[in-house]
Amino acid sequence: MTHPTHGFPDSLVSAALRSARALPQAVPVWGLSALQGTGKSTLAAQLAQAAQREGLRSAVLSLDDFYLTRAARQALARQVHPLLVTRGPPGTHDLPLALHTLQALREGRPVALPRFDKLADDRAAESTWPRLDGPVDLVIFEGWCLGTPAQAQAALVAPINALERDEDRDATWRSHCNAALARDYPALWRTCDTLWFLQPPGFEHVVDWRWQAEEGLKAEEGLQAEHPERSAMTRPQLERFVQHYERVSRQALRTLPTLADHVVRVDAQRRVIAG
């Protein structure tokens, strides 16, 4: 996980909890959108802790936990475009699983919360998913592109980085992702009863923040030589990886400040400067 140095201010967490408690739904879904590394996992965890202190039971979900399995992405890579093997962009999520999980939480039914193993680049075994057998009072749903709308088709023509220029010359991959974002994701976005957006100064900070996350991931997992298949990315690999997210990230930066219900602006050190 990527964390602001000391987490977010208590005042922001309290405001988030007040906004969640003010929602009229019996089991509200409080949505948080933020680009990679901005601190969405940190804020979601702080909100869950604050809710617990007030006697509320919450479930925290991440869009990242609904990635398609590696086998499913490999099939897409063969059938549509090789870049679809990489998790993250629209079209690489199991949306029926996400909708099923959120609906079960809404209805207070027992449900297992999916988990994705990023170092293994595959969905964790279902037997390891945390299970909720009783109803919750609040669902906290965070994701790197939550609420982001699709682009106009004309905007897809020109590549925006080296990955698109060199590996998606005919725009097949980005067109597939954009079509999925237009067709399939709005149903998931509508499950959020409110949407907060953590707004960074710009996309250029994502690589550094994501690198910090990768370093933290290696430390948390305690990678061992006997598990060579569980390796974190090198810096060049990471820089290429982040280019998969750049187009939709820039679209989020353009659109979410006006689409979100509440915007929290952060600086290059992920300190809150407004909101």
Side-chain angles (χ1 to χ4, degrees), residues 117-201:
D117 184 337
K118 291 182 178 179
L119 285 172
D121 191 27
D122 209 349
R123 188 175 295 165
E126 193 167 345
S127 60
T128 68
W129 297 359
R131 184 166 182 84
L132 291 178
D133 291 318
V136 297
D137 304 297
L138 171 65
V139 178
I140 301 164
F141 184 28
E142 53 94 343
W144 75 274
C145 62
L146 230 63
T148 305
Q151 290 184 277
Q153 190 66 28
L156 306 178
V157 177
I160 63 166
N161 56 32
L163 181 83
E164 291 190 357
R165 183 191 68 229
D166 299 338
E167 300 183 50
D168 187 35
R169 293 179 181 177
D170 62 0
T172 296
W173 169 72
R174 54 190 183 266
S175 295
H176 177 87
C177 295
N178 192 64
L181 188 57
R183 179 187 64 240
D184 302 329
Y185 285 72
L188 185 59
W189 299 166
R190 287 193 294 270
T191 64
C192 295
D193 299 310
T194 192
L195 182 67
W196 281 38
F197 178 49
L198 282 179
Q199 182 182 1

Side-chain angles (χ1 to χ4, degrees), residues 60-69 72-73 87-89 91-103 105 111-118 122-124 129 139-143 146 185 188-189 191:
V60 179
L61 295 178
S62 172
L63 184 63
D64 291 0
D65 284 318
F66 296 105
Y67 289 138
L68 291 170
T69 63
R73 286 180 282 116
R87 66 179 189 260
T92 65
H93 296 92
D94 188 335
L95 297 181
L97 178 61
L99 290 165
H100 164 80
T101 304
L102 284 157
Q103 187 64 27
L105 289 167
V111 64
L113 305 182
R115 291 292 182 261
F116 191 89
D117 184 337
K118 291 182 178 179
D122 209 349
R123 188 175 295 165
W129 297 359
V139 178
I140 301 164
F141 184 28
E142 53 94 343
L146 230 63
Y185 285 72
L188 185 59
W189 299 166
T191 64

